[in-house]
Amino acid sequence: MNRESTLNEKQGHWILAKLGKRVLRPGGRELTETLIRKMNIQPSDDVVEFAPGLGFTANITCSHQPNSYTGVDINEEAAKLARKSIKYSKAKVIISDVSQTTLLSGCATKVYGEAMLTMQTLENKKAIIKEAIRLLKPGGYYGIHELGIRPDEVDESVKEEIFKGLSSNIRVHARPMTTAEWVELLTEQGFSIVSIDHNPMHLLEGKRVLQDEGFWRTMKFLFNLLRFPDLRKRVLNMRSVFREYDNHLDAVAIVAQKPLT
């Protein structure tokens, strides 16, 4: 089996990364920057990021010079890439399950994760959110940036159709939720909602790619798509699914706060 065929078996986000795409969040750079701005990261903060991926958001976070930054990822390959990418002397990336990080309770003032809860079962979503609230000091912030479904009243049959379409093409068991469902999930674990923001789910649309990646990285991504026809087919299939459900897919960023007492 050649390298291209091996890559073609991987999950969609890894294929995009191998092709040179750096921003892999559903709401793009814009929603990530909104999330970090709403998290209000200060030099006094101890920050934990769940599944930092390629380290794109970590570098935005670390530009605010927090007291510490800790990335948590179960995937050693991903952790290695993040360590290489993150340029900050007070940053580290550990190998651990994000639902059981081994970090001390109350060790963080800010915790966030992007595009990872979507790919978990409901029980795993709850376990990860419980871990976030355990890690936070009272009053600390937890931020998420995930794939959403709209409107809140969407029929269950539409949800199931979206789940099947995403799973078969992206090769992850993606389970996005409506904004109301994301809010309920956070509040039932004890959080109060600070802010909610949205952006279209246009990850593979030309305008968004250029906005997220810049001109030269976009050219590299397009060149790699031309080089690898099997991978190009996968990417075009993913884009086709996103377009098919465009009326029902969006990206949502929520900042929630742990109670002060």
Side-chain angles (χ1 to χ4, degrees):
M1 185 178 291
N2 62 35
R3 178 175 178 271
E4 184 177 352
S5 297
T6 301
L7 276 176
N8 197 30
E9 295 304 311
K10 283 185 171 286
Q11 295 174 342
H13 60 282
W14 278 113
I15 285 179
L16 295 175
K18 293 295 185 182
L19 289 169
K21 197 167 192 326
R22 182 176 54 171
V23 181
L24 302 172
R25 311 315 192 192
R29 175 194 293 266
E30 183 178 24
L31 197 57
T32 287
E33 290 177 342
T34 296
L35 175 71
I36 298 304
R37 184 173 69 253
K38 296 288 181 73
M39 293 285 289
N40 192 29
I41 294 169
Q42 303 292 323
S44 59
D45 279 321
D46 293 300
V47 181
V48 173
E49 180 177 5
F50 292 160
L54 303 179
F56 172 77
T57 307
N59 279 313
I60 297 175
T61 296
C62 291
S63 71
H64 295 273
Q65 299 185 315
N67 183 60
S68 69
Y69 167 92
T70 303
V72 182
D73 207 310
I74 194 66
N75 186 304
E76 292 193 19
E77 180 183 359
K80 183 178 180 180
L81 290 171
R83 289 189 190 107
K84 185 177 179 181
S85 170
I86 300 168
K87 311 297 183 185
Y88 189 56
S89 61
K90 297 179 181 179
K92 65 180 179 181
V93 179
I94 66 170
I95 307 293
S96 188
D97 186 334
V98 294
S99 66
Q100 299 177 16
T101 63
T102 73
L103 296 171
L104 295 176
S105 296
C107 69
T109 54
K110 306 285 169 66
V111 177
Y112 68 88
E114 298 181 286
M116 46 86 63
L117 287 176
T118 300
M119 296 185 283
Q120 308 295 325
T121 65
L122 181 59
E123 289 308 308
N124 285 345
K125 285 178 171 72
K126 291 179 179 179
I128 292 166
I129 294 170
K130 284 180 180 178
E131 181 67 356
I133 206 164
R134 183 187 73 82
L135 294 177
L136 283 168
K137 292 179 169 67
Y141 281 4
Y142 175 46
I144 66 171
H145 173 181
E146 299 291 340
L147 189 57
I149 295 178
R150 60 185 181 181
D152 287 339
E153 304 78 19
V154 68
D155 191 272
E156 288 297 322
S157 63
V158 174
K159 289 183 186 179
E160 287 301 322
E161 189 178 329
I162 292 171
F163 297 157
K164 290 177 182 177
L166 292 173
S167 296
S168 63
N169 285 275
I170 305 176
R171 296 186 187 165
V172 296
H173 295 293
R175 306 288 290 190
M177 300 170 69
T178 66
T179 298
E181 288 170 334
W182 284 119
V183 166
E184 182 181 3
L185 197 61
L186 290 163
T187 55
E188 73 179 7
Q189 301 303 323
F191 284 105
S192 60
I193 304 303
V194 174
S195 66
I196 302 174
D197 292 277
H198 295 268
N199 221 20
M201 184 9 198
H202 289 168
L203 179 68
L204 294 177
E205 297 299 330
K207 183 179 179 180
R208 171 71 63 77
V209 174
L210 187 60
Q211 180 185 39
D212 285 348
E213 308 294 338
F215 179 79
W216 292 113
R217 189 171 286 273
T218 297
M219 291 300 102
K220 178 182 178 181
F221 177 60
L222 294 176
F223 176 71
N224 285 335
L225 284 175
L226 292 174
R227 287 179 62 204
F228 302 112
D230 283 356
L231 301 188
R232 180 171 70 249
K233 184 177 179 181
R234 278 286 308 277
V235 172
L236 291 176
N237 284 342
M238 283 189 277
R239 188 178 68 176
S240 177
V241 171
F242 295 153
R243 285 180 172 179
E244 182 178 357
Y245 300 112
D246 184 58
N247 287 338
H248 292 294
L249 287 176
D250 76 347
V252 57
I254 303 175
V255 176
Q257 186 175 30
K258 180 175 178 174
L260 288 168
T261 57

